[in-house]
Amino acid sequence: MRKKPQPTIKDVAEFASVSPMTVSRVLNDQGMVKESTRKRVLEAMRALNYRPNLMARSLAGRSGLFIGLIYRNPSYGYLSEFLLGALSTCRRLGHNLVVEEPFLDRNLVNLELIERRFLDTSIQALIVVPPLSDDPQLIDVLERTKIAYVCVSPRLGTYAGASVGMDDIAAAREMTSYLLDLGHDRIGLIKGPADHRASELRLTGYTQALAERGIPVDPSILAEGNFTYVSGMHAAKAILQADNPPTAIFASNDDMAAGAIATAHQSGLRVPEDVSVVGFDDTATASAVWPPLTTIRQPIRKMADAAIETLERLVAGASAPSKVPPQKLCLPHKLIVRDSTAAPNPPALASARKRSV
């Protein structure tokens, strides 16, 4: 069966009733094009599923794919690790990385900007990191543009495309069990923001580990942060001011764990002698704080690497999508034990909390 030819600039020009030069100007984001004409050209591209053939040009110039990465994630440690991994892999494989934070404001994703950006620049493949990987409207846009994309740690059970992630539930359960094995039976939890799927999964792992030991969840030692250092400080303060404070705090990422350690120090508490603190991710922060942080090593750079290699396969198999089934890669985590954890010392904590937190 003959392969259907890809639409050309000439096809787009005829569809939009403009000249090929006008289409070229729209593609290159040049001026001299009326807004109404530009919209008509973009609508024609959309209708024809036209994508400028940067693939041939990039291969000729040995510059590889143009890969976009869109994000909305307040955890700078996570983003830094992911970007470093993505840049390293792109350099190794000869691809180009375009990073975008597509927002109208801090919370509202500009879906029109995303669609225009892909059509205008011909980004050939896209990495979507959480929590955007859980945004159904964004996924609809990506499906409509027919761009090759992979989601990082998407919502389980509702996403059918290619993905890269890890088992957050198992990792959080392992960390909580580690603290229980040390002798901590009151473990505070700093949750992540509700719009991050990982927050829910790590809470589930925490509650499962407690349930296995017959320990009920105490809401008074649970607090929510937004994956930032400052939110970790505030959440730890609330937890340590509980009537019966915990002897250990499990923060859902390293940035918040670092904030929890700072609050403990400000409260006159020693870490880990008076209160143990653990994190999640094993970013650079984990080994930079004092004391160095016990944490879960999330394979962030390997996830970036796997995402890009998955995109290569998707783009290469775009002409025969049935031969490229969506891959759902689950990479292993590792518990990293450092100096921020020890057996509990309740008398010291009880004495210290008499001072102002």
Side-chain angles (χ1 to χ4, degrees), residues 73-289:
N73 193 315
S75 175
Y76 296 115
Y78 178 95
L79 277 176
S80 296
E81 288 292 308
F82 198 95
L83 283 172
L84 287 171
L87 286 169
S88 176
T89 302
C90 282
R91 189 181 305 114
R92 174 171 61 85
L93 298 176
H95 302 316
N96 305 280
L97 188 68
V98 179
V99 182
E100 190 84 58
E101 187 180 22
F103 289 95
L104 292 170
D105 58 36
R106 294 186 64 183
N107 297 308
L108 184 61
V109 179
N110 189 338
L111 298 173
E112 182 183 355
L113 171 64
I114 290 175
E115 191 164 1
R116 279 178 49 192
R117 179 85 164 130
F118 298 154
L119 289 171
D120 291 348
T121 64
S122 190
I123 291 173
Q124 296 152 293
L126 188 71
I127 302 171
V128 188
V129 297
L132 294 182
S133 52
D134 290 333
D135 188 326
Q137 290 182 306
L138 173 59
I139 300 303
D140 285 344
V141 167
L142 301 183
E143 289 290 334
R144 187 163 64 249
T145 60
K146 301 189 183 303
I147 192 171
Y149 68 96
V150 60
C151 284
V152 179
S153 302
R155 190 175 296 273
L156 300 178
T158 61
Y159 172 67
S163 66
V164 176
M166 60 164 284
D167 192 336
D168 287 271
I169 293 177
R173 187 169 60 239
E174 183 176 351
M175 176 60 84
T176 307
S177 296
Y178 163 74
L179 291 172
L180 290 166
D181 290 341
L182 284 177
H184 298 279
D185 56 9
R186 285 192 62 74
I187 303 169
L189 178 72
I190 302 178
K191 301 180 290 183
D195 64 343
H196 276 249
R197 175 63 170 169
S199 304
E200 178 185 340
L201 298 177
R202 293 168 196 179
L203 172 62
T204 298
Y206 164 85
T207 57
Q208 285 182 357
L210 293 181
E212 288 169 1
R213 308 291 179 97
I215 301 173
V217 175
D218 183 351
S220 72
I221 55 174
L222 269 60
E224 183 174 315
N226 64 2
F227 284 151
T228 64
Y229 176 89
V230 173
S231 73
M233 291 184 67
H234 295 323
K237 181 176 181 179
I239 288 173
L240 290 172
Q241 286 180 331
D243 290 338
N244 185 10
T247 58
I249 295 176
F250 178 7
S252 293
N253 81 334
D254 292 341
D255 292 345
M256 294 193 299
I261 288 177
T263 291
H265 291 330
Q266 290 175 358
S267 308
L269 294 172
R270 299 167 300 167
V271 178
E273 292 86 355
D274 302 327
V275 59
S276 291
V277 177
V278 301
F280 201 109
D281 286 339
D282 197 29
T283 59
T285 299
S287 53
V289 296

Side-chain angles (χ1 to χ4, degrees), residues 287-299:
S287 53
V289 296
W290 180 82
L293 190 64
T294 293
T295 187
I296 290 290
R297 176 171 292 164
Q298 181 172 195

